[in-house]
Amino acid sequence: MTDNIHFLFSNKSRKQLKKLPRTERIKIEHLIRERVYGFLSCGDSRYLIQDHYFSKMGLFDSTVYYIRLDLHKRAIISIDEDPIFDEVRIKIYAMCNRDSLEREIKGVMESLYQQMINPTSCKKEETE
């Protein structure tokens, strides 16, 4: 299911990327793609971590992970597979350093819980 993959960036992650120099932004986007493709096609879970922060959301298992981009940078993402349409949607929620990872994760998870409770509050996603 690695043929039809869509990468979506939240407004927050897009703004964080735009603050970076162009070469660093390209490098980070490439690392995200490379590590997600490795995870989906080969089961390479060296860089994608689904830690205790990502608890179940109601009856559903969480699809939220964080990616270790380098020694200090992390990206919080979700990987949602849709077997009916044979596609995978990768949503990048935020980028942060490892010191602020826990705070960012809590914010993302709280936002996702709010969307489950009140689905009309969902914001549009930006596609790349």
Side-chain angles (χ1 to χ4, degrees):
M1 193 181 271
T2 58
D3 295 335
N4 198 8
I5 298 177
H6 303 283
F7 287 85
L8 308 163
F9 290 82
S10 68
N11 289 332
K12 181 177 183 174
S13 66
R14 183 59 64 195
K15 287 177 187 175
Q16 290 169 328
L17 277 174
K18 285 183 179 181
K19 290 179 184 177
L20 300 173
R22 186 176 189 278
T23 54
E24 190 173 350
R25 181 175 55 232
I26 290 170
K27 179 183 171 188
I28 286 174
E29 289 177 355
H30 175 74
L31 280 172
I32 291 171
R33 280 189 180 80
E34 180 181 89
R35 292 181 176 172
V36 167
Y37 281 118
F39 178 75
L40 292 174
S41 62
C42 305
D44 183 3
S45 60
R46 291 178 295 167
Y47 304 105
L48 269 77
I49 295 108
Q50 191 175 42
D51 214 341
H52 67 279
Y53 302 116
F54 308 114
S55 59
K56 286 187 167 206
M57 298 182 72
L59 300 173
F60 305 103
D61 288 332
S62 177
T63 60
V64 181
Y65 299 81
Y66 70 86
I67 299 178
R68 192 172 51 232
L69 300 171
D70 63 22
L71 191 57
H72 301 288
K73 291 185 180 70
R74 307 291 188 261
I76 301 169
I77 69 165
S78 67
I79 301 175
D80 298 305
E81 297 182 38
D82 187 342
I84 294 172
F85 294 105
D86 193 32
E87 69 178 14
V88 179
R89 297 178 73 153
I90 312 301
K91 175 81 181 251
I92 296 90
Y93 293 103
M95 259 106 20
C96 61
N97 60 38
R98 68 178 183 188
D99 296 332
S100 61
L101 180 64
E102 189 173 345
R103 186 185 74 233
E104 288 290 336
I105 288 171
K106 286 180 181 179
V108 167
M109 295 306 285
E110 184 176 311
S111 173
L112 291 174
Y113 283 125
Q114 288 299 322
Q115 289 178 16
M116 283 181 65
I117 293 168
N118 186 7
T120 59
S121 69
C122 294
K123 296 177 183 171
K124 281 189 173 181
E125 298 169 336
E126 296 180 25
T127 3
E128 180 185 45

